[in-house]
Amino acid sequence: MRTYLDHNATSPIRPEARDAMLAALELRGNASSVHEEGRKARALVETSRDEIARALGTIAPTVVFTGGGSESCNQALRCVSADRLIVSAIEHPCVLEAATASGRKVEVLPVSEHGVIDLPALDSLLANGNGRALVSVMLANNETGAIQPVRDVVALAAEHDALVHCDAVQAFGKLPVNFGLLGVDLLSVSAHKLGGPQGVGALVIRDGLPVSPLISGGGQELRRRAGTENIAAIAGFAAAVRAAGKNESDFRGLQAKLESALASGPGDVAVFSAGVDRLPNTVCFALSGLEADTALMAFDLDGIAVSSGSACSSGKVQASHVLKAMGASEAATKSAVRVSLGWSTTVEDVNRFSDSWQKIAARHMARAAAA
């Protein structure tokens, strides 16, 4: 029996999303066609858009469907008029690389040892730079779970006539995410982090903000994203959002239980960002001397799926740029393991993880003592 605890990489598809996708696959029309079949397809797309918009506290025309979170972030950073970009040091690689590819001046915002952005440093960057800035700060970090003060970022940006993009991919479905209350200009979300299908997401754009299409060649999505809409994926996205809203999971108890098991086990375990508000489903930890690739293989052999951080590196276990930015030692970055809970996680899953960890940690400590 396998235990899946890597929901921050992707969450297993919810039954509701699967059912919605299968029903949508029965539709024959292109949503841009004017005949009856096309109108039925268009109605499903627009119903889904409206449902996702309501969940995000915005209006339907602000929601642009994309191929996922990475595309949404790329469009936000590359297709909005700005003279310079300010990105936090702990952003997802899609944001960091999109910023570099934009051809604009890129300034990196530092973070504290707990993985929270430095607001005074942001104020200084905004005050001392030339031209209009676009600031990109995630709502919650995908590796440590650290929640960022996005509303404070928006307040600072307003003082300097700057725009704000928020990558909420990891937060949506785990925290309340309200576009209007956050006050940002652009917001990126993705379906597969909350139990929807892979390969579909959305970019929410403040009403009236000009944004060029990243993909050209058609008038879809109000000319903001060309290409025939993936109707089945969009329907699955909306169904997953609906299910997440009706059956909102409370991960705090399971998170506490998991961290208690880490603390009571062999060795001195460090939990990253433990001193600040975090996603209720995420635990990133390290045991000194136990490298992540060794731990991941041991867990996998025990039937448990966890990760070492971002799942966007072709399966490679690499030192985390997030932990480096937090000032963690090289040894700690090489030892970091991420456990992330989701809609399908049970107490039994956490118990199996705890039992496995006790064995893995005990073996490591025994080898270290014998060395």
Side-chain angles (χ1 to χ4, degrees):
M1 182 178 185
R2 296 286 299 178
T3 297
Y4 187 81
L5 296 173
D6 198 15
H7 287 258
N8 282 13
T10 195
S11 197
I13 194 162
R14 295 174 185 263
E16 299 91 340
R18 183 187 300 111
D19 292 344
M21 294 179 72
L22 290 172
L25 287 170
E26 296 297 322
L27 296 177
R28 294 183 291 177
N30 183 314
S32 296
S33 298
V34 297
H35 47 58
E36 181 179 344
E37 288 83 356
R39 293 196 302 274
K40 287 181 178 178
R42 171 54 56 193
L44 182 55
V45 169
E46 297 309 323
T47 298
S48 299
R49 191 192 313 276
D50 188 61
E51 190 157 19
I52 292 167
R54 286 200 308 272
L56 288 168
T58 186
I59 56 174
T62 65
V63 176
V64 178
F65 288 120
T66 68
S70 291
E71 183 189 324
S72 297
C73 290
N74 268 265
Q75 185 171 7
L77 269 70
R78 299 171 69 175
C79 300
V80 174
S81 179
D83 301 300
R84 57 197 179 107
L85 300 177
I86 300 174
V87 298
S88 87
I90 58 168
E91 294 303 302
H92 189 278
C94 73
V95 167
L96 298 175
E97 293 183 23
T100 301
S102 72
R104 298 166 176 147
K105 180 182 180 182
V106 180
E107 298 160 273
V108 178
L109 176 63
V111 299
S112 71
E113 63 180 1
H114 299 296
V116 177
I117 62 165
D118 185 334
L119 287 169
L122 174 60
D123 192 26
S124 178
L125 286 173
L126 288 168
N128 296 319
N130 294 317
R132 194 179 200 190
L134 169 60
V135 183
S136 186
V137 173
M138 58 186 10
L139 184 52
N141 186 260
N142 51 297
E143 295 188 30
T144 67
I147 297 171
Q148 305 303 314
V150 173
R151 294 185 69 179
D152 292 334
V153 171
V154 170
L156 283 176
E159 295 177 9
H160 301 279
D161 190 33
L163 300 170
V164 179
H165 164 251
C166 179
D167 172 4
V169 166
Q170 206 57 251
F172 191 34
K174 306 178 184 87
L175 296 174
V177 178
N178 188 296
F179 181 74
L181 292 179
L182 283 173
V184 298
D185 300 284
L186 304 126
L187 184 87
S188 300
V189 293
S190 181
H192 75 106
K193 304 296 189 181
L194 51 87
Q198 298 174 357
V200 64
L203 176 63
V204 185
I205 303 170
R206 176 174 54 78
D207 192 29
L209 178 68
V211 179
S212 302
L214 182 67
I215 300 174
S216 301
Q220 294 87 354
E221 300 300 297
L222 297 178
R223 306 198 71 83
R224 296 172 298 188
R225 199 266 189 181
T228 300
E229 291 94 342
N230 187 338
I231 299 169
I234 289 169
F237 188 3
V241 169
R242 182 166 59 249
K246 288 181 179 177
N247 305 297
E248 190 171 351
S249 301
D250 182 8
F251 303 114
R252 290 289 182 196
L254 293 178
Q255 184 187 50
K257 182 178 179 65
L258 195 151
E259 292 184 359
S260 177
L262 293 173
S264 64
D268 185 15
V269 175
V271 176
F272 298 102
S273 297
V276 295
D277 287 340
R278 285 177 294 150
L279 288 174
N281 79 312
T282 304
V283 180
C284 185
F285 69 93
L287 174 59
S288 179
L290 177 60
E291 294 199 355
D293 54 356
T294 301
L296 296 189
M297 286 187 287
F299 277 123
D300 197 35
L301 289 171
D302 249 0
I304 297 172
V306 294
S307 77
S308 61
S310 176
C312 299
S313 302
S314 302
K316 298 177 183 177
V317 176
Q318 300 178 336
S320 164
H321 74 281
V322 172
L323 300 183
K324 285 182 178 179
M326 292 165 58
S329 68
E330 184 177 355
T333 63
K334 290 182 177 179
S335 297
V337 172
R338 183 189 67 186
V339 181
S340 48
L341 318 176
W343 69 269
S344 61
T345 305
T346 64
V347 173
E348 289 72 23
D349 290 329
V350 174
N351 288 339
R352 282 192 287 271
F353 169 85
S354 300
D355 292 342
S356 179
W357 171 249
Q358 298 294 326
K359 293 185 293 182
I360 292 168
R363 286 198 302 266
H364 168 69
M365 297 303 294
R367 291 192 188 108

